Amino acid sequence: MTQACILGCSGLELTPQEKAFFRDVRPWGFILFKRNVDTPDQVRALVDALRDCVGRPDAAVLIDQEGGRVQRLSQPHWRRYPPGRAYGELAGNDMLTRREITRLGARLLAHDLAAVGINVDCVPVLDVPDPSGHEIIGDRAYGDTPDAVGLLGRAAAEGLIAGGVLPVIKHMPGHGRAKSDSHLALPVVEASYEELAERDFPPFRMLSDMPMAMSAHVVYTAIDAKRPATTSRKAIRRVIRGELGFDGLLMTDDLSMKALSGDFTDRARASLAAGCDIVLHCNGDMDEMKAVVAGVGSLSGKAKRRAAAALGRIARAREPFDVEEARARFDAAFDGRYAA
C-alpha cells in the first residue's frame, strides 16, 4: 500500500538500506535536493531508481526549482533562472509581457525537469511579502500586491503544466508576514483575519484550482493561536479548504523544519489529523524517516483521490515547444542576464 508521505534520500544514488526501506514503505513520492544532483544522466538514473523501488513509473518526484536563491539543478549542466521578483519587474507596467515571460520561464523549467524525469516542481510562491516580514520570502515573491502575485503565479503554474510538470502552490495560507524563517523557528503572525483576507489569501484563492499545495509552518493568531497552519484543523478546514476553496492535494512543508515541535511520529500524525493529505520529510535521515512513517498510514479516502487527480493533470501530450526559440525570447526579455 502507498504511504501518505514524500521522502528524501541521502546522496547521488540510493544506498542498499534506502532501496530496501523505500520498497517496504512505498511512499507516494520523493523529493530531490542539491545533495542528490550532479549530472543529467545521474539525476535521471536516481529518479528511475526511486520509481523502481515503489513500482510506479508515474510516482511523484519533486524538486524546489524556483530560480534565484532556490534552484537545485544549477550550472554547469542547467541554466540559471531568475527569482520571482525579476518577472514582476519586467517591462514597466506591461502586465501582459510579464505574464508571457513568466509562463515562458516556467515552460523552460518544465523542459529541464521533464528531461530528467522530475514531474513536480514546488512553484509558484504565492506569498505576498510584507515590508516587516523576514527575507526568507523576499525576492522569491512575484510582486508586492496580491493581484500581481496571483497573476504571475498562475502564469508560472500554467507554464509548468504545459510542459508536463505539476506545480505546487506555496505556502498556504501565506508566509509573507512571517518575521522569522520557519526553517529555524516558529513564526507567529498577529494580523487580523480581515488583514489576512485582504492581502495574504487572494493569490491562493486565485489559484485554488491547482492540483497541489504546500502548507505553511506559521501560526496565525486570528485563525488558531496555538498551532501552525500545518497542524491546525481550523487553518486547514476553515481557511484552506473553506475560505480559499482549495480541494487539491495538500502536502506539508518539510517536517524536519524547526518551526515544528515534538518527535517526527507526532508531527506526521498531527499534520494528517489536521487535514493535510500527505507529509513531506526532506533531509534523507533514515531514523527520522522511519519515525515519520510510523506516524502515517496508507493513502486512502479523499487524500488518495486527490493524489490520483493531481497525477492525472500531467499532460500526456505536452504543448508544442521550440526550446531554442523559447530560450532566445527569454534571454532577450532579460537582456541576457540569465543566459546559460
Side-chain angles (χ1 to χ4, degrees), residues 42 257 338:
Q42 171 270 321
M257 291 162 64
Y338 298 98

Short mmCIF file of all heavy atoms in Angstrom, two decimals, residues 42 257 338:
data_model
loop_
_atom_site.label_atom_id
_atom_site.label_comp_id
_atom_site.label_asym_id
_atom_site.label_seq_id
_atom_site.Cartn_x
_atom_site.Cartn_y
_atom_site.Cartn_z
N GLN A 42 23.02 11.29 -14.18
CA GLN A 42 22.96 10.81 -12.80
C GLN A 42 21.58 11.06 -12.19
O GLN A 42 21.01 10.19 -11.52
CB GLN A 42 24.06 11.50 -11.97
CG GLN A 42 23.98 11.25 -10.48
CD GLN A 42 23.13 12.30 -9.77
OE1 GLN A 42 23.17 13.48 -10.11
NE2 GLN A 42 22.31 11.86 -8.81
N MET A 257 11.71 20.89 9.63
CA MET A 257 11.98 22.30 9.94
C MET A 257 11.73 22.57 11.43
O MET A 257 10.87 21.97 12.05
CB MET A 257 11.11 23.20 9.05
CG MET A 257 11.54 23.14 7.59
SD MET A 257 10.29 23.73 6.42
CE MET A 257 10.16 25.44 6.88
N TYR A 338 20.39 36.11 -17.61
CA TYR A 338 20.28 34.73 -17.11
C TYR A 338 20.60 33.71 -18.21
O TYR A 338 20.22 32.55 -18.10
CB TYR A 338 18.87 34.50 -16.56
CG TYR A 338 18.57 35.41 -15.40
CD1 TYR A 338 17.85 36.59 -15.60
CD2 TYR A 338 19.04 35.14 -14.13
CE1 TYR A 338 17.59 37.45 -14.55
CE2 TYR A 338 18.80 36.00 -13.08
CZ TYR A 338 18.07 37.16 -13.29
OH TYR A 338 17.82 38.01 -12.26
#
